[in-house]
Amino acid sequence: MPRKKLRILIAKPGLDGHDRGAKVVARALRDAGMEVIYTGLRQTPESIVETALQEDVDAIGLSILSGAHNHLFKKIIDLLKKEGAEDIPIFGGGIIPEDDMPYLTNIGVKKIFGPGTSTEKIVTYIKEMTNR
Amino acid sequence: MNSFDELIKRMNSGEIRALGKIITVMENDPSSSAYIIPQIHNLTGNAHIVGITGPPGSGKSSLVDKLISCYRNDGLKVGVIAIDPTSPFTGGAILGDRIRMKRHYTDKDVFIRSMATRGDLGGLSEATRNTIKALDAFGKDVIIIETVGAGQVEVDIVKVADTVVVVSVPSMGDSVQTLKAGIMEIGDIFAVNKADIEGVEKCIIEIRMMLELSEKKREWIPPIIKTYGNKDDGTDDLYESIKNHHKYLIESGHYEQRRIIRGKTELVDILQNLFIKNLYDSISEKEMGELAKKIANREKDPYMIIEELIPRLKRLFEVL
């Protein structure tokens, strides 16, 4: 009886003051039958990557409100590459301006969900992205 | 060389991601454990396995965080399995115990794995056991298992741990009540956490009284230790007690005994799971439904049906 479950890391890098958005997403993924590893506020890129390896997650979702997204996404993607784990897809959300999207896509971020995205859309996206 | 062999090789060479992946495959598919465990079983048996259990919100994760620091100060390598409940309605889970263990995230000698119960009663599964083995084979000196928030009957932790710490908190009024029947009996050490809130002495007295009521002659008298979520007081005492208990087990010969008992329950559990799996593989959901209908409308009784099913199940085991 294989009972594969999607395991998703929801993390907040940087200095954001609250994590309401991340919690809403975590809850929605849970309700969609996924196992969500939630690590809380103010994580460093190093700790996020280390967690992703130990927990063997199928995807990483980052929530960033602080404006430091370009730097943080890049750092995390670089660290994943260093660990030979660039196959773990990354998506994100928070306050991220349209203008920054091309850069983020270019460095390998799979998808950015802006404010107002329905959780349903995120769930569908993750399922499609991971082929389940 | 198949993909499992390669993963095992990578794990044995110390690669953290490979260990993470081995755990996943064993958790998802018990038949892969039947391939992997035989190759790592003889590398295991060295780690001290410590179970931390207690009601939800009693501070188990925070205590685990502090214990990790103690072990790391002594230069020991630590594995942690933190278990949270799976929703019986959606099958999903929020695994959030790690939040309390942040400061150890980037320590390469601390491996923390969150696991969901995935519907196993008692909160521990074949997968948990196999995860312990993987961590043990990986060279961890101690493996800490944090159970789901436990009530009265979640005592499975004794089946896998050498040392069980039961965490309770004062002023819950009924917290000792919930301890009374089940998990009260399995503590090798009692931690009364959040000891700065009112009622701590009463809580300690109640635990002590319950321990003294036991007619069993004990060689090991479970210590009761005050601990705090917000400061380090008491953590060293708890750490010392855990190490003392480990020493006691080894010197008294109980270590060996517990491991033999564990071997037996492990065997029985795996057989049971195998049996259930074969059962569900050989009787379709539809057939099961029809049989249930017959029982409900008194056409047949359950024993009669089992009598009819047994030859089929026997055949299944013959081909194994």
Side-chain angles (χ1 to χ4, degrees):
Chain A
M1 270 178 296
R3 37 177 198 174
K4 171 76 188 156
K5 288 249 161 100
L6 277 178
R7 288 170 68 84
I8 311 293
L9 172 61
I10 297 293
K12 282 197 69 74
L15 297 172
D16 292 350
H18 77 79
D19 58 352
R20 182 155 173 81
K23 279 181 180 153
V24 169
V25 172
R27 169 71 197 265
L29 302 186
R30 184 201 83 179
D31 289 345
M34 302 178 199
E35 291 181 355
V36 183
I37 291 99
Y38 185 59
T39 58
L41 285 164
R42 290 184 280 280
Q43 296 301 298
T44 61
E46 287 80 4
S47 71
I48 290 169
V49 169
E50 200 57 39
T51 298
L53 300 179
Q54 294 178 8
E55 300 286 358
D56 186 33
V57 293
D58 298 290
I60 304 173
L62 299 175
S63 158
I64 306 174
L65 310 169
S66 64
H69 43 269
N70 285 354
H71 167 72
L72 290 166
F73 273 109
K74 175 84 169 52
K75 188 82 203 280
I76 289 168
I77 287 169
D78 286 348
L79 285 168
L80 282 173
K81 277 186 190 147
K82 207 178 122 203
E83 297 287 348
E86 62 269 35
D87 54 302
I88 304 175
I90 293 197
F91 62 97
I95 314 293
I96 294 166
E98 285 280 340
D99 290 355
D100 290 337
M101 302 275 187
Y103 169 77
L104 291 172
T105 314
N106 192 35
I107 60 168
V109 178
K110 292 275 184 269
K111 180 98 180 164
I112 297 289
F113 297 101
T117 308
S118 74
T119 53
E120 210 176 312
K121 203 172 152 193
I122 301 173
V123 167
T124 311
Y125 175 78
I126 293 173
K127 283 185 178 165
E128 278 170 9
M129 175 177 67
T130 52
N131 290 323
R132 291 233 196 88
Chain B
M1 194 149 93
N2 71 23
S3 62
F4 289 157
D5 288 331
E6 201 213 314
L7 269 183
I8 294 168
K9 205 175 140 213
R10 280 165 54 198
M11 183 183 93
N12 288 341
S13 71
E15 195 194 308
I16 285 172
R17 193 178 188 201
L19 172 60
K21 284 197 171 297
I22 289 260
I23 294 172
T24 306
V25 295
M26 292 198 293
E27 192 177 19
N28 287 338
D29 180 10
S31 63
S32 66
S33 309
Y35 186 84
I36 293 165
I37 292 296
Q39 302 189 55
I40 62 171
H41 186 77
N42 60 357
L43 300 171
T44 65
N46 304 311
H48 180 206
I49 299 161
V50 179
I52 311 281
T53 189
S58 53
K60 295 183 291 297
S61 306
S62 301
L63 284 180
V64 171
D65 168 62
K66 288 170 192 206
L67 287 172
I68 298 172
S69 298
C70 295
Y71 281 109
R72 294 299 297 135
N73 283 339
D74 282 351
L76 297 171
K77 294 177 184 160
V78 185
V80 176
I81 303 172
I83 307 169
D84 269 326
T86 292
S87 159
F89 306 108
T90 66
I94 300 274
L95 309 174
D97 291 325
R98 290 183 77 96
I99 295 177
R100 307 273 171 251
M101 307 169 198
K102 271 179 197 166
R103 57 182 162 156
H104 306 291
Y105 282 0
T106 52
D107 182 341
K108 294 276 181 195
D109 285 322
V110 177
F111 185 103
I112 304 169
R113 179 67 175 224
S114 314
M115 292 183 92
T117 53
R118 298 196 183 178
D120 282 288
L121 289 173
L124 287 180
S125 58
E126 197 175 322
T128 314
R129 225 180 237 135
N130 291 336
T131 302
I132 295 170
K133 288 211 170 124
L135 291 168
D136 196 346
F138 198 69
K140 296 302 179 195
D141 299 298
V142 59
I143 297 162
I144 305 175
I145 301 149
E146 180 187 337
T147 71
V148 284
Q152 293 180 314
V153 292
E154 292 93 341
V155 294
D156 269 8
I157 187 70
V158 286
K159 290 193 198 167
V160 299
D162 300 314
T163 301
V164 175
V165 179
V166 173
V167 183
S168 61
V169 281
S171 278
M172 265 174 70
D174 60 354
S175 83
V176 172
Q177 203 71 19
T178 49
L179 291 171
K180 271 182 191 168
I183 67 175
M184 189 65 196
E185 299 167 75
I186 63 167
D188 298 304
I189 295 161
F190 289 87
V192 179
N193 198 31
K194 310 188 188 182
D196 44 353
I197 55 181
E198 211 183 320
V200 60
E201 295 307 330
K202 187 169 164 263
C203 184
I204 290 173
I205 289 168
E206 280 177 318
I207 294 172
R208 185 165 297 139
M209 273 171 59
M210 256 172 284
L211 290 174
E212 283 166 3
L213 280 175
S214 161
E215 286 183 5
K216 241 184 352 197
K217 271 238 157 54
R218 291 170 183 270
E219 287 173 38
W220 169 264
I221 298 172
I224 307 167
I225 295 152
K226 284 189 211 172
T227 53
Y228 304 82
N230 51 3
K231 52 182 175 182
D232 285 332
D233 296 17
T235 309
D236 286 345
D237 294 342
L238 180 60
Y239 181 56
E240 280 307 312
S241 300
I242 293 172
K243 287 205 302 192
N244 284 342
H245 185 254
H246 190 210
K247 216 171 122 206
Y248 155 78
L249 286 176
I250 293 168
E251 285 171 1
S252 65
H254 283 123
Y255 205 59
E256 207 45 46
Q257 273 176 26
R258 282 200 186 197
R259 293 202 166 200
I260 292 167
I261 295 170
R262 195 178 305 161
K264 185 180 159 193
T265 52
E266 185 177 5
L267 205 54
V268 172
D269 284 357
I270 295 173
L271 278 172
Q272 216 167 316
N273 290 345
L274 197 63
F275 186 80
I276 290 172
K277 179 186 176 294
N278 282 335
L279 181 74
Y280 279 101
D281 284 353
S282 63
I283 305 169
S284 68
E285 194 99 4
K286 192 168 158 250
E287 190 184 357
M288 203 68 99
E290 283 159 8
L291 293 173
K293 229 179 256 167
K294 287 182 181 159
I295 298 171
N297 63 28
R298 301 300 186 266
E299 200 180 310
K300 280 184 176 171
D301 70 78
Y303 289 97
M304 205 182 205
I305 293 172
I306 287 165
E307 198 73 18
E308 292 166 19
L309 288 176
I310 281 175
R312 259 160 81 186
L313 296 170
K314 268 187 188 152
R315 272 203 301 281
L316 267 164
F317 277 95
E318 277 159 17
V319 298
L320 272 176

